[in-house]
Amino acid sequence: MSNDFTPPPMPSYGPPPVPPPPPPRKNRTVLVAVASAVVAAAVSAAVTAGVGGDDEAGPAPTVTVTETASVNGGDTPAAAEEAPAASEDTDDGVHALDETVTYESDVEVTLSGFERTVSSEYAMPEKTPYARFTVKVKNSGTKTLDTTLLTVNCSYGKDGRSSESVFDSDTGLDGTPQTKLLAGRSISVPWGCELPKGEKLIQIEVAPDFDSETAIFTGPVT
């Protein structure tokens, strides 16, 4: 009897198992986003540390907003419409009756002594209600002022009706002076302007000479 023994073959259990797939690669976009977030967080922390530290925070930057307006009558941008209008120069040449107007030449013009009266029968125009006042011109400049070029014109009422000047030598209403005003001196000129009894609002335009702008005084005369 033979002692050789051959074991029987192992039974087959199908094809060998498939090895697992390799792990997926990480998305480079995700890595970039994560890196950006880290950098942003670091910058934010540095800014916070700078503000909360011992050193004072620097001045905030100035932001300049430029408004664009249409030059052809088109629609104005909404931002420009909502922005407040720029302030304008309020000196429009109009002054109250009791104000003093000073020119660049240091010549001053003031009105005073307002009163209502009626012209005499020898005046021009005669027997006419008018407002009488004094025009004072002070020359604080360095040049001589020719007061023969002084002009005074009046109007009255809201409609701006022309007011005739009153001339009456007996009461000193002789019109424009016939002298020149030296530097450092002043002159007072009595004047009268027609003002009907039912009117109070008067406008008086004064120019000390031909080279000066006209100053407009306005207000009520009671």
Side-chain angles (χ1 to χ4, degrees):
M1 183 175 180
S2 174
N3 294 327
D4 295 333
F5 175 77
T6 301
M10 297 294 295
S12 177
Y13 294 97
V18 180
R25 296 182 179 180
K26 292 185 178 180
N27 195 329
R28 296 184 62 184
T29 303
V30 175
L31 294 177
V32 172
V34 172
S36 300
V38 172
V39 172
V43 173
S44 177
V47 173
T48 302
V51 173
D54 294 336
D55 297 335
E56 295 182 359
T62 302
V63 179
T64 302
V65 178
T66 303
E67 297 181 6
T68 304
S70 173
V71 298
N72 297 322
D75 294 333
T76 303
E81 291 180 356
E82 295 177 0
S87 58
E88 298 179 355
D89 188 1
T90 56
D91 186 5
D92 55 0
V94 179
H95 309 274
L97 295 178
D98 58 352
E99 288 185 350
T100 298
V101 175
T102 303
Y103 291 86
E104 293 182 356
S105 59
D106 290 331
V107 172
E108 299 178 3
V109 175
T110 56
L111 306 179
S112 62
F114 284 89
E115 62 176 347
R116 302 183 72 123
T117 186
V118 179
S119 62
S120 68
E121 58 181 342
Y122 303 106
M124 186 177 64
E126 62 180 15
K127 298 179 180 180
T128 301
Y130 72 98
R132 182 186 176 99
F133 53 92
T134 299
V135 180
K136 182 178 180 180
V137 180
K138 182 178 180 181
N139 185 6
S140 298
T142 59
K143 297 181 180 180
T144 299
L145 181 68
D146 189 358
T147 58
T148 63
L149 304 179
L150 171 70
T151 58
V152 180
N153 297 301
C154 301
S155 61
Y156 63 85
K158 294 182 178 179
D159 297 333
R161 297 182 181 181
S162 179
S163 174
E164 189 176 355
S165 295
V166 177
F167 298 94
D168 189 355
S169 297
D170 292 342
T171 59
L173 298 179
D174 295 323
T176 302
Q178 300 300 313
T179 60
K180 293 187 178 182
L181 190 61
L182 299 177
R185 298 186 179 181
S186 61
I187 188 172
S188 295
V189 182
W191 206 274
C193 287
E194 176 190 5
L195 185 63
K197 292 183 177 180
E199 298 288 348
K200 292 184 178 181
L201 182 63
I202 191 171
Q203 177 175 308
I204 304 172
E205 302 176 11
V206 181
D209 58 14
F210 287 163
D211 295 330
S212 302
E213 294 183 1
T214 300
I216 302 176
F217 300 86
T218 185
V221 177
T222 58

